[in-house]
């Protein structure tokens, strides 16, 4: 008889005690994200049928046009987390400032903050390319019982207690870590349940895919240009294959499964890089390291960067360990 797959709910319960703070709160946060992801997945899959694609007419804090689905996903995740009364604060790429969550009794007793990019790659929505949600969870550092403060969000990535992403693609998957490996769950849309489909996900130490927007080549630092030339040389297992979707979740997900490196460097157009440390780079770095990969800014470990502002941008090199280390060599030897 075929063995029944483990559901995400069962997996959370079974592994709750392996988490160092096993009070059940973190499990409830993951459950909330699971619920919000199902709602957003439903909307994403209806995107061609209803008036949910296109620009919402607003810009977010980064000056980027907000898509209607951006706004919907942001509100869905925020409301789901607030309604469950399990977090004391939320920071989103779509919001100027963080949100303080007091709880019904105004007690401020919850211990966790969630940072998120509610819909990564949203410029791809109306052309039917995979998009995703990225999330990061920290334990607050200010006293429980007081309103959450900015320093609760400006923690280095090494302090993360959980991180993950949801990818809304040909199938919808939730991939996450609580510091004990990386596991992927695929949604069965017929019954609305996530099943463990990719246990113990790992980056291979080497890969043959590089993911970067080569259209910006002229603007890249010399170290990145030299690494790209190395990737394209005919030698050993090279040239590597270039694969770039332009949706961080999709590019990262493919490279974790197939082996590869994702690079979004500094450039003369984006002197600090484009990706956000708190909403994109830290959670992906945590996942990468838990899956045997590596993440850095080209010189130092991403998760050791001390954030100074909510919407801070950093360069990002992430993926198979040996590929990231080779790229770092080229960055240092300019």
């Amino acid at each position: 008889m075929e063995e029944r797959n483990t559901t995400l709910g069962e997996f959370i319960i079974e592994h709750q005690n392996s988490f160092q703070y096993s009070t059940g709160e973190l499990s409830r946060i993951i459950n909330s994200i699971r619920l919000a992801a199902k709602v957003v997945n439903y909307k994403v899959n209806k995107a061609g049928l209803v008036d949910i694609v296109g620009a919402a007419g607003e810009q977010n804090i980064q000056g980027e046009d907000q898509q209607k689905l951006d706004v919907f996903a942001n509100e869905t995740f925020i409301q789901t987390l607030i309604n469950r009364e399990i977090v004391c604060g939320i920071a989103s790429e779509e919001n100027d400032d963080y949100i303080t969550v007091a709880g019904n009794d105004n007690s401020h007793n919850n211990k966790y903050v969630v940072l998120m990019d509610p819909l990564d790659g949203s410029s791809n929505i109306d052309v039917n390319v995979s998009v995703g949600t990225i999330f990061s969870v920290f334990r607050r550092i200010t006293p429980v019982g007081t309103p959450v403060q900015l320093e609760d969000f400006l923690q280095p990535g090494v302090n993360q207690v959980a991180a993950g992403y949801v990818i809304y693609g040909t199938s919808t998957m939730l991939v996450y870590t609580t510091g004990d490996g990386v596991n992927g769950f695929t949604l069965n849309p017929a019954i609305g349940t996530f099943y463990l489909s990719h246990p113990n996900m790992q980056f291979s130490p080497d890969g043959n895919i590089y993911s970067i927007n080569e259209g910006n080549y002229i603007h890249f630092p010399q170290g990145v240009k030299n690494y790209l030339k190395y990737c394209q040389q005919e030698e050993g297992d090279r040239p590597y294959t270039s694969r770039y979707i332009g949706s961080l979740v999709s590019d990262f997900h493919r490279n974790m499964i197939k082996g590869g490196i994702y690079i979004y460097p500094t450039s003369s157009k984006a002197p600090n890089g484009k990706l956000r440390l708190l909403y994109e780079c830290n959670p992906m770095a945590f996942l990468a390291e838990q899956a045997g990969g590596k993440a850095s800014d080209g010189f130092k470990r991403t998760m050791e960067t001390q954030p100074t502002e909510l919407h801070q941008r950093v360069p990002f090199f992430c993926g198979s360990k040996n590929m990231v280390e080779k790229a770092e060599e080229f960055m240092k030897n300019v």
Side-chain angles (χ1 to χ4, degrees):
M1 189 172 142
E2 191 179 318
E3 188 182 337
R4 190 174 68 84
N5 286 342
T6 304
T7 68
L8 175 55
E10 290 166 344
F11 184 89
I12 288 170
I13 292 165
E14 284 167 20
H15 291 79
Q16 191 166 285
N17 292 335
S18 67
F19 177 63
Q20 80 181 101
Y21 310 107
S22 55
T23 57
E25 288 162 297
L26 187 74
S27 300
R28 285 162 59 210
I29 291 172
I30 303 294
N31 271 320
S32 291
I33 289 165
R34 170 183 68 169
L35 175 62
K38 286 199 281 189
V39 175
V40 172
N41 174 68
Y42 177 70
K43 283 286 189 189
V44 168
N45 285 325
K46 280 177 35 174
L49 300 172
V50 295
D51 183 27
I52 195 75
V53 297
E58 302 283 333
Q59 289 192 326
N60 64 14
I61 182 68
Q62 281 83 29
E64 300 164 337
D65 289 334
Q66 283 184 312
Q67 304 296 310
K68 290 173 187 171
L69 260 175
D70 274 329
V71 176
F72 175 81
N74 193 41
E75 289 172 356
T76 300
F77 276 93
I78 288 170
Q79 278 311 312
T80 306
L81 287 164
I82 289 174
N83 292 347
R84 292 291 183 93
E85 294 198 33
I86 41 178
V87 295
C88 56
I90 303 166
S92 166
E93 185 182 297
E94 299 298 329
N95 292 43
D96 296 13
D97 207 351
Y98 63 86
I99 298 164
T100 303
V101 183
N104 277 344
D105 54 0
N106 208 32
S107 64
H108 299 282
N109 281 334
N110 294 324
K111 301 180 186 71
Y112 295 96
V113 295
V114 172
L115 301 95
M116 63 178 178
D117 180 352
L119 209 62
D120 171 74
S122 55
S123 60
N124 284 323
I125 293 164
D126 47 5
V127 290
N128 213 8
V129 170
S130 297
V131 292
T133 297
I134 308 172
F135 63 91
S136 172
V137 184
F138 288 86
R139 197 169 166 89
R140 68 180 301 172
I141 51 176
T142 53
V144 172
T146 62
V148 72
Q149 302 294 325
L150 181 61
E151 59 257 42
D152 291 310
F153 298 94
L154 298 185
Q155 298 187 55
V158 288
N159 291 359
Q160 288 174 104
V161 294
Y165 60 83
V166 183
I167 181 166
Y168 311 101
T170 46
S171 60
T172 294
M173 280 187 69
L174 190 156
V175 176
Y176 82 100
T177 182
T178 55
D180 189 23
V182 178
N183 292 281
F185 302 80
T186 300
L187 179 66
N188 178 339
I191 54 176
T193 302
F194 282 97
Y195 288 98
L196 179 62
S197 54
H198 293 65
N200 193 27
M201 297 176 80
Q202 290 284 314
F203 271 101
S204 59
D206 296 286
N208 62 2
I209 295 171
Y210 66 97
S211 306
I212 188 170
N213 184 354
E214 289 183 83
N216 288 328
Y217 181 88
I218 196 168
H219 302 285
F220 290 154
Q222 192 58 47
V224 173
K225 289 179 179 175
N226 293 347
Y227 177 67
L228 291 180
K229 284 178 190 158
Y230 166 85
C231 291
Q232 293 158 359
Q233 281 169 351
E234 201 143 342
E235 186 182 330
D237 59 345
R238 289 172 284 130
Y240 296 149
T241 301
S242 173
R243 290 282 183 271
Y244 185 70
I245 298 168
S247 170
L248 171 60
V249 167
S250 304
D251 282 309
F252 178 95
H253 186 72
R254 182 205 45 241
N255 288 351
M256 181 157 59
I257 290 171
K258 304 257 188 188
I261 184 172
Y262 175 93
I263 304 174
Y264 208 115
T266 57
S267 69
S268 53
K269 293 202 302 185
N272 299 316
K274 188 184 174 196
L275 300 182
R276 287 73 174 181
L277 174 62
L278 296 181
Y279 312 115
E280 295 166 312
C281 302
N282 267 341
M284 290 310 203
F286 191 20
L287 287 160
E289 290 191 11
Q290 284 295 313
K294 186 167 184 177
S296 80
D297 64 1
F299 300 95
K300 65 179 188 300
R301 186 182 176 204
T302 296
M303 292 210 295
E304 289 177 356
T305 302
Q306 175 59 54
T308 54
E309 54 184 275
L310 277 178
H311 298 283
Q312 184 172 343
R313 298 173 192 257
V314 291
F316 196 47
F317 295 67
C318 179
S320 294
K321 188 168 183 284
N322 294 341
M323 296 184 83
V324 173
E325 287 177 354
K326 179 59 78 172
E328 288 173 333
E329 264 180 52
F330 279 98
M331 292 299 288
K332 287 173 183 136
N333 293 333
V334 174

